[in-house]
Amino acid sequence: LEGDLLTLESARIVTPGGAHASVAGAWDPASGRLSFEAATERMEIAELNGALAAMPALGSVPLLEACDSGFWSGRLGVSGDLSKAGAQGAAAWTGRAVLHEAQCRAAALPAPLRFAKAAVELRGPGWRLRDAEASFAGSKMRLAARQDPAARAPLHVEIEADRLEGDSIEAALQ
């Protein structure tokens, strides 16, 4: 504690789900500014999403918010102005993580994507998914995608697959 600034130096924790993580952060209640970082070698995505649901001012982690099972490893950080909670840009997520055995829903798809493994990079409102080994509707594929809200075409997706069923593709594009 220094003035109004509360600081948590790097600390090792064990989550209720048994994951080991390193956390650090700072919060200035007078200004509402917060920065927080967590790193782990293996944590359930549902545990992360559940913890964030209890802290709505932080928002959810882009991409991971759509996953209801699986694990993540890596380092994620959030920073922002909690006095503007709910406002666009109030909190921004950054970092790199790897998803393992994750099942995630995309609004445009009729069935979840299952990721054996996928690398995620977060940069504020944008994100990048790369080296994804996924399956959808029984078809295996490699997938890369990026979202940049400021770009003319905000979403870009690349799929490499030996086969995709026509009905699945048609349902996804409708």
Side-chain angles (χ1 to χ4, degrees), residues 9-63:
E9 297 296 330
S10 185
R12 297 281 303 158
I13 63 165
V14 178
T15 67
H20 293 260
S22 177
V23 297
W27 177 45
D28 184 346
S31 70
R33 296 288 308 159
L34 170 89
S35 63
F36 179 80
E37 183 176 274
T40 186
E41 292 182 13
R42 183 177 170 96
M43 180 184 291
E44 288 189 37
I45 296 169
E47 183 173 26
L48 173 66
N49 289 338
L52 291 171
M55 298 177 280
L58 297 181
S60 53
V61 179
L63 286 180

Side-chain angles (χ1 to χ4, degrees), residues 63-77:
L63 286 180
L64 276 70
E65 68 186 337
C67 303
D68 56 17
S69 66
F71 301 89
W72 74 277
S73 61
R75 180 176 304 273
L76 298 175

Side-chain angles (χ1 to χ4, degrees), residues 11-150:
R12 297 281 303 158
I13 63 165
V14 178
T15 67
H20 293 260
S22 177
V23 297
W27 177 45
D28 184 346
S31 70
R33 296 288 308 159
L34 170 89
S35 63
F36 179 80
E37 183 176 274
T40 186
E41 292 182 13
R42 183 177 170 96
M43 180 184 291
E44 288 189 37
I45 296 169
E47 183 173 26
L48 173 66
N49 289 338
L52 291 171
M55 298 177 280
L58 297 181
S60 53
V61 179
L63 286 180
L64 276 70
E65 68 186 337
C67 303
D68 56 17
S69 66
F71 301 89
W72 74 277
S73 61
R75 180 176 304 273
L76 298 175
V78 63
S79 62
D81 186 344
L82 296 185
S83 67
K84 298 179 182 176
Q88 185 169 349
W93 286 91
T94 59
R96 294 173 186 244
V98 177
L99 307 183
H100 306 270
E101 304 167 22
Q103 178 173 294
C104 309
R105 294 203 167 273
L109 299 177
L113 281 164
R114 288 177 171 67
F115 293 102
K117 187 176 182 181
V120 175
E121 296 175 25
L122 303 175
R123 293 179 303 249
W127 52 261
R128 183 175 173 203
L129 178 75
R130 59 184 178 74
D131 301 326
E133 299 169 9
S135 63
F136 171 72
S139 297
K140 292 189 183 298
M141 65 186 75
R142 295 204 42 88
L143 179 68
R146 73 175 183 273
Q147 181 173 337
D148 180 356

